Structures are given as structure tokens and as C-alpha cells.
Amino acid sequence: MADADADIVRSIHDGVLFLVAFWSGPSLGAFSKLTKAMHDMGLRDLELVVVDVDGSPGVYQLPEIKELFGGVVNAPPGWGEAAFCRDGQIVAAAVVGRGFDSNEYYFISRKLLSSFDGE
């Protein structure tokens, strides 16, 4: 989605909200590893909602997203932030690509996705 607001979370029944910064290598790498982890884990029924951070500043005002960064976020950091959503609520979140190598992106993605039990 090129532009979204905080209401996007309410639309996700069982899925992952991924905040992508197209100008960020870590963000793009995190997206690649997240989708690989989803494939490897056989999570084909899991929704994947990808939001462009540059067109969606309201998403960063969600309390759960702010918690990832310890407070107010004025601009998207572009590290490949992901949130697991169930019934319109964020139940787990991770900065997938922040300061790690690509193998760690994969393992962080798998840990986040392990919250999904297929119900």
C-alpha cells in the first residue's frame, strides 16, 4: 500500500504488517527474509500487508510501533519493522532488519511468525 493509516491494523485478521522503506537496504533485506520465512514455514494462509513508510506516517503513531523505538518516532527509520496482527490488534512486533546480518533477519522473522498457529 502506497498510503495507509493506523486503521490498516484493524483490517488484518491473521497476518503480518510489514513497514517497508524502499530506499533502505536493511528494509528490503528484511522483507526478503520475512517472505522466505513465511514460505519455509508453510504459512500460506497468513495475510501479508506491506505498507510504504513514506506514505503512511500515521502507522508510526500506533503505541505498539512506538514501543519498538522507545517513544516518539518522527520519521520512519527504515529497518524493516514488522508486526503480527490478530483480530485487528498487534500482538507481537519486531524490527527485522536493524543492525543484523541477513541470517539474523531470517531468524527474527521466524521467531515473529511462530506466533501464528494457523487457526
Coordinates of all heavy atoms in Angstrom, one line a residue, residues 24-117:
S24 N 15.8 1.8 1.7 CA 16.6 1.3 2.7 C 17.0 -0.2 2.4 O 16.1 -1.0 2.3 CB 15.9 1.3 4.1 OG 16.5 0.5 5.0
G25 N 18.3 -0.4 2.3 CA 18.8 -1.8 2.1 C 18.4 -2.7 3.2 O 17.9 -3.8 2.9
P26 N 18.5 -2.3 4.5 CA 18.0 -3.2 5.6 C 16.6 -3.6 5.5 O 16.1 -4.7 5.8 CB 18.4 -2.5 6.8 CG 19.6 -1.6 6.5 CD 19.3 -1.2 5.0
S27 N 15.7 -2.6 5.1 CA 14.3 -2.8 5.0 C 14.0 -3.8 3.9 O 13.2 -4.8 4.1 CB 13.6 -1.5 4.7 OG 12.2 -1.7 4.6
L28 N 14.6 -3.6 2.7 CA 14.4 -4.6 1.6 C 14.9 -6.0 1.9 O 14.3 -7.0 1.6 CB 15.0 -4.0 0.3 CG 14.4 -2.7 -0.2 CD1 15.2 -2.2 -1.4 CD2 12.9 -2.8 -0.5
G29 N 16.1 -6.0 2.6 CA 16.6 -7.3 3.0 C 15.7 -8.0 4.0 O 15.5 -9.2 3.9
A30 N 15.2 -7.2 4.9 CA 14.2 -7.8 5.9 C 13.0 -8.3 5.2 O 12.5 -9.4 5.6 CB 13.9 -6.7 6.9
F31 N 12.5 -7.6 4.2 CA 11.3 -8.1 3.5 C 11.6 -9.4 2.8 O 10.8 -10.3 2.9 CB 10.8 -7.0 2.5 CG 9.6 -7.5 1.7 CD1 8.4 -7.5 2.3 CD2 9.8 -7.9 0.4 CE1 7.3 -7.9 1.6 CE2 8.7 -8.3 -0.3 CZ 7.4 -8.3 0.2
S32 N 12.7 -9.5 2.2 CA 13.1 -10.7 1.5 C 13.2 -11.9 2.5 O 12.7 -13.0 2.2 CB 14.5 -10.5 0.8 OG 15.0 -11.7 0.3
K33 N 13.8 -11.7 3.6 CA 13.9 -12.8 4.6 C 12.6 -13.1 5.3 O 12.3 -14.3 5.6 CB 14.9 -12.4 5.7 CG 16.3 -12.3 5.1 CD 16.8 -13.6 4.4 CE 18.2 -13.4 3.9 NZ 18.7 -14.6 3.2
L34 N 11.7 -12.1 5.5 CA 10.4 -12.4 6.0 C 9.6 -13.2 5.1 O 9.0 -14.2 5.5 CB 9.7 -11.1 6.3 CG 8.2 -11.2 6.8 CD1 8.2 -11.8 8.2 CD2 7.5 -9.8 6.8
T35 N 9.6 -12.9 3.8 CA 8.8 -13.7 2.9 C 9.4 -15.1 2.7 O 8.6 -16.1 2.5 CB 8.6 -13.0 1.5 OG1 9.9 -12.7 1.0 CG2 7.8 -11.7 1.7
K36 N 10.7 -15.2 2.8 CA 11.3 -16.6 2.7 C 10.9 -17.4 3.9 O 10.5 -18.6 3.8 CB 12.8 -16.5 2.7 CG 13.5 -17.8 2.6 CD 15.0 -17.7 2.5 CE 15.7 -19.0 2.5 NZ 15.0 -20.3 2.6
A37 N 10.9 -16.8 5.1 CA 10.5 -17.5 6.3 C 9.0 -17.9 6.2 O 8.7 -19.0 6.6 CB 10.7 -16.6 7.6
M38 N 8.2 -17.0 5.7 CA 6.8 -17.4 5.5 C 6.6 -18.6 4.6 O 5.9 -19.5 4.9 CB 6.0 -16.2 5.0 CG 5.8 -15.1 6.0 SD 4.9 -13.6 5.3 CE 3.2 -14.3 5.2
H39 N 7.4 -18.6 3.5 CA 7.3 -19.7 2.6 C 7.9 -21.0 3.3 O 7.2 -22.1 3.2 CB 8.2 -19.4 1.4 CG 8.2 -20.5 0.4 ND1 9.2 -21.4 0.4 CD2 7.4 -20.9 -0.6 CE1 9.0 -22.3 -0.5 NE2 7.9 -22.0 -1.2
D40 N 9.0 -20.9 3.9 CA 9.6 -22.1 4.5 C 8.7 -22.7 5.6 O 8.8 -23.9 5.9 CB 11.0 -21.7 5.1 CG 12.0 -21.4 4.1 OD1 11.8 -21.6 2.9 OD2 13.1 -20.9 4.5
M41 N 8.0 -21.8 6.3 CA 7.1 -22.3 7.4 C 5.8 -22.7 6.9 O 4.9 -23.2 7.7 CB 7.0 -21.2 8.5 CG 8.3 -20.9 9.2 SD 8.2 -19.5 10.3 CE 7.3 -20.1 11.6
G42 N 5.5 -22.6 5.6 CA 4.2 -23.0 5.0 C 3.0 -22.2 5.5 O 1.9 -22.7 5.6
L43 N 3.3 -20.9 5.7 CA 2.2 -20.0 6.2 C 1.5 -19.3 5.1 O 1.4 -18.1 5.0 CB 2.8 -19.0 7.2 CG 3.5 -19.5 8.4 CD1 4.1 -18.4 9.2 CD2 2.5 -20.4 9.2
R44 N 0.9 -20.1 4.2 CA 0.2 -19.6 3.0 C -1.1 -18.9 3.3 O -1.6 -18.1 2.5 CB 0.0 -20.7 2.0 CG 1.3 -21.2 1.4 CD 1.2 -22.5 0.8 NE 2.4 -23.1 0.2 CZ 3.6 -23.2 0.8 NH1 3.8 -22.7 1.9 NH2 4.6 -23.8 0.2
D45 N -1.7 -19.2 4.5 CA -3.0 -18.6 4.8 C -2.8 -17.3 5.6 O -3.8 -16.6 5.9 CB -3.9 -19.5 5.6 CG -4.3 -20.7 4.8 OD1 -4.4 -20.6 3.6 OD2 -4.6 -21.8 5.4
L46 N -1.6 -16.9 5.9 CA -1.3 -15.7 6.7 C -1.3 -14.5 5.7 O -0.7 -14.5 4.7 CB 0.1 -15.9 7.3 CG 0.5 -14.9 8.4 CD1 -0.4 -15.0 9.6 CD2 1.9 -15.2 8.8
E47 N -2.0 -13.5 6.1 CA -2.1 -12.3 5.3 C -0.7 -11.5 5.4 O -0.1 -11.5 6.5 CB -3.1 -11.3 5.9 CG -4.5 -11.8 5.8 CD -5.5 -10.8 6.5 OE1 -5.7 -9.7 6.0 OE2 -5.9 -11.2 7.6
L48 N -0.3 -10.9 4.4 CA 0.9 -10.1 4.4 C 0.5 -8.7 3.8 O 0.1 -8.6 2.6 CB 2.0 -10.7 3.5 CG 3.3 -9.8 3.4 CD1 3.9 -9.6 4.8 CD2 4.3 -10.5 2.5
V49 N 0.5 -7.7 4.7 CA 0.1 -6.4 4.3 C 1.4 -5.5 4.3 O 2.0 -5.4 5.4 CB -0.9 -5.8 5.2 CG1 -1.3 -4.3 4.8 CG2 -2.2 -6.7 5.2
V50 N 1.8 -5.0 3.2 CA 3.1 -4.3 3.0 C 2.7 -2.8 2.8 O 1.9 -2.5 1.9 CB 3.9 -4.8 1.9 CG1 5.2 -4.0 1.8 CG2 4.2 -6.3 2.0
V51 N 3.2 -1.9 3.7 CA 2.9 -0.5 3.7 C 4.2 0.3 3.4 O 5.2 0.0 4.1 CB 2.3 -0.1 5.1 CG1 2.1 1.4 5.2 CG2 0.9 -0.8 5.2
D52 N 4.1 1.2 2.5 CA 5.2 2.1 2.2 C 5.3 3.1 3.3 O 4.4 3.9 3.5 CB 5.0 2.8 0.9 CG 6.1 3.7 0.4 OD1 7.0 4.0 1.2 OD2 6.0 4.2 -0.7
V53 N 6.4 3.2 4.0 CA 6.6 4.1 5.2 C 6.5 5.6 4.8 O 6.0 6.4 5.6 CB 7.9 3.8 6.0 CG1 7.9 2.4 6.6 CG2 9.1 4.1 5.2
D54 N 6.9 5.9 3.6 CA 6.9 7.3 3.2 C 5.5 7.9 3.0 O 5.3 9.1 3.1 CB 7.7 7.5 2.0 CG 9.2 7.3 2.2 OD1 9.7 7.7 3.3 OD2 9.9 6.7 1.4
G55 N 4.5 7.0 2.7 CA 3.2 7.5 2.5 C 2.2 7.2 3.7 O 1.0 7.4 3.6
S56 N 2.8 6.7 4.8 CA 2.0 6.2 5.9 C 2.5 6.6 7.2 O 2.7 5.8 8.1 CB 1.9 4.7 5.8 OG 1.5 4.2 4.5
P57 N 2.6 7.9 7.5 CA 3.1 8.4 8.8 C 2.2 8.0 10.0 O 2.8 7.9 11.1 CB 3.2 9.9 8.6 CG 2.3 10.2 7.5 CD 2.2 9.1 6.6
G58 N 1.0 7.9 9.8 CA 0.1 7.5 10.9 C 0.3 6.2 11.5 O 0.1 6.0 12.7
V59 N 0.9 5.3 10.7 CA 1.2 3.9 11.2 C 2.2 4.0 12.4 O 2.2 3.3 13.3 CB 1.6 3.0 10.1 CG1 2.1 1.7 10.6 CG2 0.5 2.8 9.1
Y60 N 3.1 5.0 12.3 CA 4.2 5.1 13.3 C 3.6 5.7 14.6 O 4.4 5.8 15.5 CB 5.3 5.9 12.7 CG 6.2 5.1 11.9 CD1 6.0 5.0 10.5 CD2 7.2 4.3 12.5 CE1 6.8 4.1 9.8 CE2 8.0 3.5 11.7 CZ 7.8 3.4 10.3 OH 8.6 2.6 9.6
Q61 N 2.4 6.2 14.6 CA 1.8 6.7 15.8 C 1.1 5.6 16.6 O 0.6 5.9 17.7 CB 0.9 7.9 15.5 CG 1.6 9.0 14.7 CD 2.9 9.4 15.4 OE1 3.0 9.7 16.6 NE2 3.9 9.5 14.6
L62 N 1.1 4.4 16.1 CA 0.5 3.3 16.9 C 1.3 3.0 18.1 O 2.6 3.0 18.0 CB 0.4 2.0 16.1 CG -0.6 2.0 14.9 CD1 -0.4 0.9 14.0 CD2 -2.0 2.0 15.5
P63 N 0.7 2.9 19.3 CA 1.5 2.7 20.5 C 2.5 1.5 20.4 O 3.6 1.5 20.9 CB 0.5 2.4 21.6 CG -0.8 3.1 21.1 CD -0.7 3.0 19.6
E64 N 2.0 0.4 19.8 CA 2.9 -0.8 19.7 C 4.1 -0.5 18.8 O 5.2 -1.1 19.1 CB 2.1 -2.0 19.1 CG 0.8 -2.3 19.9 CD -0.4 -1.6 19.4 OE1 -0.3 -0.5 18.9 OE2 -1.5 -2.1 19.7
I65 N 4.0 0.3 17.8 CA 5.1 0.6 16.9 C 6.0 1.6 17.7 O 7.3 1.4 17.7 CB 4.6 1.3 15.6 CG1 3.7 0.3 14.8 CG2 5.8 1.7 14.8 CD1 4.4 -1.0 14.4
K66 N 5.5 2.5 18.4 CA 6.3 3.5 19.2 C 7.1 2.7 20.2 O 8.3 3.0 20.5 CB 5.4 4.5 19.9 CG 4.9 5.6 19.0 CD 4.1 6.6 19.8 CE 3.5 7.7 19.0 NZ 2.8 8.6 19.9
E67 N 6.5 1.7 20.8 CA 7.3 0.9 21.8 C 8.5 0.3 21.3 O 9.5 0.1 22.0 CB 6.4 -0.2 22.4 CG 5.4 0.3 23.4 CD 4.5 -0.8 23.9 OE1 4.9 -2.0 23.9 OE2 3.3 -0.5 24.3
L68 N 8.5 -0.1 20.0 CA 9.7 -0.7 19.4 C 10.9 0.3 19.4 O 12.0 -0.2 19.4 CB 9.4 -1.1 17.9 CG 8.6 -2.3 17.6 CD1 8.4 -2.4 16.1 CD2 9.3 -3.5 18.1
F69 N 10.6 1.5 19.4 CA 11.7 2.6 19.3 C 11.8 3.4 20.6 O 12.5 4.3 20.7 CB 11.4 3.5 18.2 CG 11.2 2.8 16.9 CD1 10.0 2.6 16.3 CD2 12.3 2.2 16.3 CE1 9.8 1.9 15.2 CE2 12.2 1.5 15.1 CZ 10.9 1.4 14.5
G70 N 11.1 3.0 21.7 CA 11.2 3.6 22.9 C 10.6 5.0 23.0 O 11.0 5.8 23.8
G71 N 9.6 5.3 22.2 CA 8.9 6.6 22.3 C 8.5 7.1 20.9 O 8.2 6.4 20.0
V72 N 8.5 8.4 20.8 CA 8.0 9.1 19.6 C 8.9 8.8 18.4 O 10.2 8.9 18.5 CB 7.9 10.6 19.9 CG1 7.5 11.4 18.6 CG2 7.0 10.9 21.0
V73 N 8.3 8.5 17.3 CA 9.0 8.3 16.1 C 8.6 9.5 15.1 O 7.5 9.6 14.7 CB 8.7 7.0 15.4 CG1 9.4 6.8 14.1 CG2 9.0 5.8 16.4
N74 N 9.6 10.3 14.8 CA 9.2 11.4 13.9 C 9.4 11.1 12.4 O 8.7 11.7 11.6 CB 10.1 12.6 14.2 CG 9.8 13.2 15.6 OD1 8.7 13.3 16.0 ND2 10.9 13.6 16.3
A75 N 10.2 10.1 12.1 CA 10.4 9.7 10.7 C 10.7 8.2 10.7 O 11.2 7.7 11.7 CB 11.6 10.4 10.1
P76 N 10.3 7.6 9.7 CA 10.5 6.1 9.6 C 12.0 5.8 9.6 O 12.7 6.3 8.8 CB 9.8 5.7 8.3 CG 9.6 6.9 7.5 CD 9.6 8.1 8.5
P77 N 12.4 4.9 10.5 CA 13.8 4.5 10.5 C 14.2 3.6 9.3 O 15.4 3.6 8.9 CB 14.0 3.8 11.8 CG 12.6 3.6 12.4 CD 11.7 4.3 11.5
G78 N 13.3 2.9 8.7 CA 13.6 2.1 7.6 C 14.4 0.8 7.8 O 15.3 0.4 7.0
W79 N 14.2 0.2 8.9 CA 14.9 -1.0 9.3 C 14.1 -2.3 9.0 O 14.5 -3.4 9.3 CB 15.3 -1.0 10.8 CG 16.3 0.0 11.1 CD1 17.5 0.3 10.4 CD2 16.4 0.8 12.2 NE1 18.2 1.2 11.0 CE2 17.5 1.6 12.2 CE3 15.5 1.0 13.3 CZ2 17.9 2.5 13.2 CZ3 15.9 1.9 14.3 CH2 17.0 2.6 14.2
G80 N 12.9 -2.2 8.4 CA 12.1 -3.3 8.2 C 11.3 -3.8 9.4 O 11.5 -4.8 10.0
E81 N 10.4 -2.9 9.8 CA 9.6 -3.2 11.0 C 8.4 -4.1 10.6 O 7.8 -3.9 9.6 CB 9.1 -1.8 11.6 CG 10.2 -0.9 12.0 CD 10.8 -0.1 10.9 OE1 10.1 0.1 9.8 OE2 11.9 0.4 11.1
A82 N 8.1 -5.0 11.5 CA 7.0 -5.9 11.2 C 6.2 -6.1 12.5 O 6.7 -6.1 13.6 CB 7.6 -7.3 10.7
A83 N 4.9 -6.3 12.3 CA 4.0 -6.5 13.4 C 3.1 -7.7 13.0 O 2.5 -7.7 11.9 CB 3.2 -5.3 13.7
F84 N 2.9 -8.6 13.9 CA 2.0 -9.7 13.8 C 0.7 -9.3 14.3 O 0.6 -8.8 15.5 CB 2.5 -11.0 14.5 CG 1.5 -12.1 14.3 CD1 1.4 -12.8 13.1 CD2 0.7 -12.5 15.3 CE1 0.5 -13.9 13.0 CE2 -0.3 -13.5 15.2 CZ -0.3 -14.2 14.0
C85 N -0.4 -9.4 13.5 CA -1.7 -8.9 13.9 C -2.7 -10.0 13.9 O -2.7 -10.9 13.1 CB -2.2 -7.9 12.9 SG -1.1 -6.4 12.7
R86 N -3.5 -10.0 15.0 CA -4.6 -11.0 15.1 C -5.8 -10.2 15.5 O -5.8 -9.5 16.5 CB -4.2 -12.0 16.2 CG -5.4 -13.0 16.5 CD -5.0 -14.2 17.1 NE -4.5 -15.1 16.1 CZ -3.5 -16.0 16.2 NH1 -2.9 -16.0 17.4 NH2 -3.1 -16.7 15.2
D87 N -6.9 -10.5 14.7 CA -8.2 -9.8 15.0 C -8.1 -8.3 15.2 O -8.6 -7.7 16.1 CB -8.9 -10.4 16.2 CG -9.2 -11.9 16.0 OD1 -9.5 -12.3 14.9 OD2 -9.1 -12.7 17.0
G88 N -7.3 -7.7 14.3 CA -7.2 -6.2 14.3 C -6.3 -5.6 15.4 O -6.3 -4.4 15.5
Q89 N -5.5 -6.4 16.1 CA -4.7 -6.0 17.1 C -3.2 -6.4 16.9 O -3.0 -7.6 16.4 CB -5.1 -6.5 18.5 CG -6.5 -6.1 18.9 CD -6.6 -4.6 19.2 OE1 -5.7 -4.0 19.8 NE2 -7.7 -4.0 18.7
I90 N -2.3 -5.6 17.2 CA -0.9 -6.0 17.1 C -0.6 -6.8 18.4 O -0.8 -6.4 19.5 CB 0.1 -4.8 17.0 CG1 -0.1 -4.1 15.7 CG2 1.5 -5.3 17.2 CD1 0.7 -2.8 15.5
V91 N -0.1 -8.1 18.2 CA 0.1 -9.0 19.3 C 1.6 -9.2 19.5 O 2.1 -9.7 20.5 CB -0.6 -10.3 19.2 CG1 -2.1 -10.0 19.3 CG2 -0.3 -11.1 18.0
A92 N 2.4 -8.9 18.5 CA 3.9 -9.1 18.5 C 4.5 -8.2 17.5 O 3.9 -7.9 16.4 CB 4.3 -10.5 18.3
A93 N 5.7 -7.7 17.7 CA 6.3 -6.8 16.7 C 7.8 -7.0 16.8 O 8.3 -7.4 17.9 CB 5.9 -5.3 17.0
A94 N 8.5 -6.7 15.7 CA 10.0 -6.8 15.7 C 10.5 -5.9 14.7 O 9.9 -5.6 13.6 CB 10.4 -8.3 15.4
V95 N 11.7 -5.4 14.9 CA 12.5 -4.7 13.9 C 13.3 -5.8 13.3 O 14.4 -6.2 13.8 CB 13.4 -3.6 14.6 CG1 14.2 -2.9 13.5 CG2 12.5 -2.6 15.3
V96 N 12.9 -6.2 12.1 CA 13.6 -7.4 11.5 C 15.0 -7.1 11.0 O 15.9 -7.9 11.2 CB 12.7 -7.9 10.3 CG1 13.3 -9.1 9.6 CG2 11.3 -8.3 10.8
G97 N 15.2 -5.9 10.4 CA 16.5 -5.7 9.8 C 17.4 -4.7 10.5 O 18.4 -4.3 9.9
R98 N 17.2 -4.4 11.7 CA 18.1 -3.4 12.4 C 19.4 -4.0 12.9 O 19.4 -4.7 13.8 CB 17.3 -2.8 13.6 CG 18.0 -1.8 14.3 CD 17.2 -1.2 15.4 NE 17.9 -0.2 16.1 CZ 17.5 0.4 17.2 NH1 16.3 0.0 17.7 NH2 18.2 1.4 17.7
G99 N 20.5 -3.6 12.2 CA 21.8 -3.9 12.7 C 22.2 -5.3 12.7 O 23.2 -5.7 13.4
F100 N 21.6 -6.1 11.9 CA 21.9 -7.6 11.9 C 22.3 -8.0 10.5 O 22.0 -7.3 9.5 CB 20.7 -8.4 12.4 CG 20.3 -8.1 13.7 CD1 19.1 -7.4 14.0 CD2 21.0 -8.5 14.8 CE1 18.7 -7.1 15.2 CE2 20.6 -8.2 16.1 CZ 19.4 -7.5 16.3
D101 N 22.9 -9.1 10.4 CA 23.2 -9.7 9.0 C 21.9 -10.4 8.5 O 21.0 -10.6 9.3 CB 24.4 -10.6 9.0 CG 24.3 -11.9 9.8 OD1 23.2 -12.4 9.9 OD2 25.3 -12.4 10.3
S102 N 22.0 -10.8 7.3 CA 20.8 -11.4 6.7 C 20.3 -12.7 7.3 O 19.1 -13.0 7.3 CB 20.9 -11.5 5.2 OG 21.9 -12.5 4.9
N103 N 21.2 -13.5 7.9 CA 20.8 -14.7 8.6 C 20.0 -14.3 9.8 O 19.0 -15.0 10.1 CB 22.0 -15.6 8.9 CG 22.6 -16.2 7.7 OD1 22.0 -16.5 6.8 ND2 23.9 -16.4 7.8
E104 N 20.4 -13.3 10.5 CA 19.6 -12.9 11.7 C 18.3 -12.3 11.3 O 17.3 -12.5 12.0 CB 20.4 -11.9 12.5 CG 21.6 -12.6 13.2 CD 22.4 -11.6 14.0 OE1 23.2 -10.9 13.3 OE2 22.3 -11.5 15.2
Y105 N 18.2 -11.7 10.1 CA 16.9 -11.2 9.6 C 15.9 -12.4 9.5 O 14.8 -12.3 9.9 CB 17.0 -10.6 8.2 CG 17.7 -9.3 8.0 CD1 18.4 -8.7 9.0 CD2 17.7 -8.7 6.8 CE1 19.1 -7.5 8.8 CE2 18.4 -7.5 6.5 CZ 19.0 -6.9 7.5 OH 19.7 -5.8 7.3
Y106 N 16.4 -13.5 9.0 CA 15.6 -14.7 8.8 C 15.2 -15.3 10.1 O 14.0 -15.6 10.3 CB 16.4 -15.7 8.0 CG 15.7 -17.0 7.7 CD1 14.7 -17.1 6.8 CD2 16.0 -18.2 8.5 CE1 14.1 -18.3 6.5 CE2 15.3 -19.3 8.3 CZ 14.3 -19.4 7.3 OH 13.7 -20.6 7.0
F107 N 16.1 -15.4 11.1 CA 15.7 -16.0 12.4 C 14.8 -15.1 13.2 O 13.9 -15.6 13.8 CB 17.0 -16.3 13.2 CG 17.7 -17.4 12.6 CD1 19.0 -17.2 12.1 CD2 17.2 -18.7 12.4 CE1 19.7 -18.3 11.5 CE2 17.9 -19.7 11.8 CZ 19.2 -19.5 11.3
I108 N 14.9 -13.8 13.1 CA 14.0 -12.8 13.7 C 12.6 -13.0 13.1 O 11.6 -13.0 13.8 CB 14.5 -11.4 13.6 CG1 15.7 -11.2 14.5 CG2 13.4 -10.4 14.1 CD1 16.5 -9.9 14.2
S109 N 12.6 -13.1 11.8 CA 11.3 -13.3 11.1 C 10.6 -14.6 11.5 O 9.4 -14.6 11.8 CB 11.5 -13.4 9.5 OG 12.0 -12.1 9.1
R110 N 11.4 -15.7 11.6 CA 10.8 -17.0 12.0 C 10.3 -16.9 13.5 O 9.2 -17.4 13.8 CB 11.8 -18.1 11.9 CG 12.0 -18.5 10.5 CD 12.9 -19.8 10.4 NE 12.3 -20.9 11.1 CZ 11.6 -21.9 10.5 NH1 11.5 -21.9 9.2 NH2 11.1 -22.9 11.1
K111 N 11.0 -16.2 14.3 CA 10.5 -16.0 15.7 C 9.2 -15.3 15.8 O 8.3 -15.6 16.5 CB 11.6 -15.3 16.5 CG 11.2 -15.2 18.0 CD 12.3 -14.5 18.8 CE 11.9 -14.3 20.2 NZ 13.0 -13.7 21.0
L112 N 9.1 -14.2 15.0 CA 7.9 -13.4 14.9 C 6.7 -14.3 14.4 O 5.7 -14.3 15.0 CB 8.1 -12.2 14.1 CG 6.8 -11.3 13.9 CD1 6.4 -10.6 15.2 CD2 7.0 -10.3 12.8
L113 N 7.0 -15.0 13.3 CA 5.9 -15.8 12.7 C 5.5 -17.0 13.5 O 4.4 -17.5 13.3 CB 6.4 -16.2 11.3 CG 6.6 -15.1 10.3 CD1 7.3 -15.7 9.1 CD2 5.3 -14.5 9.9
S114 N 6.4 -17.4 14.5 CA 6.0 -18.6 15.3 C 4.7 -18.3 16.1 O 4.1 -19.2 16.7 CB 7.2 -19.0 16.2 OG 7.4 -18.0 17.2
S115 N 4.4 -17.0 16.3 CA 3.1 -16.6 17.0 C 1.9 -17.1 16.2 O 0.8 -17.3 16.8 CB 3.0 -15.1 17.1 OG 4.1 -14.6 17.8
F116 N 2.0 -17.4 14.9 CA 0.9 -17.8 14.1 C 0.7 -19.3 14.3 O 1.6 -20.1 14.1 CB 1.1 -17.5 12.7 CG 0.0 -17.9 11.8 CD1 -1.2 -17.3 11.9 CD2 0.2 -18.9 10.8 CE1 -2.3 -17.7 11.0 CE2 -0.9 -19.3 10.0 CZ -2.1 -18.7 10.1
D117 N -0.5 -19.7 14.7 CA -0.7 -21.2 14.9 C -1.7 -21.8 13.9 O -2.1 -22.9 14.0 CB -1.3 -21.4 16.3 CG -2.6 -20.7 16.6 OD1 -3.2 -20.2 15.7 OD2 -2.9 -20.7 17.8

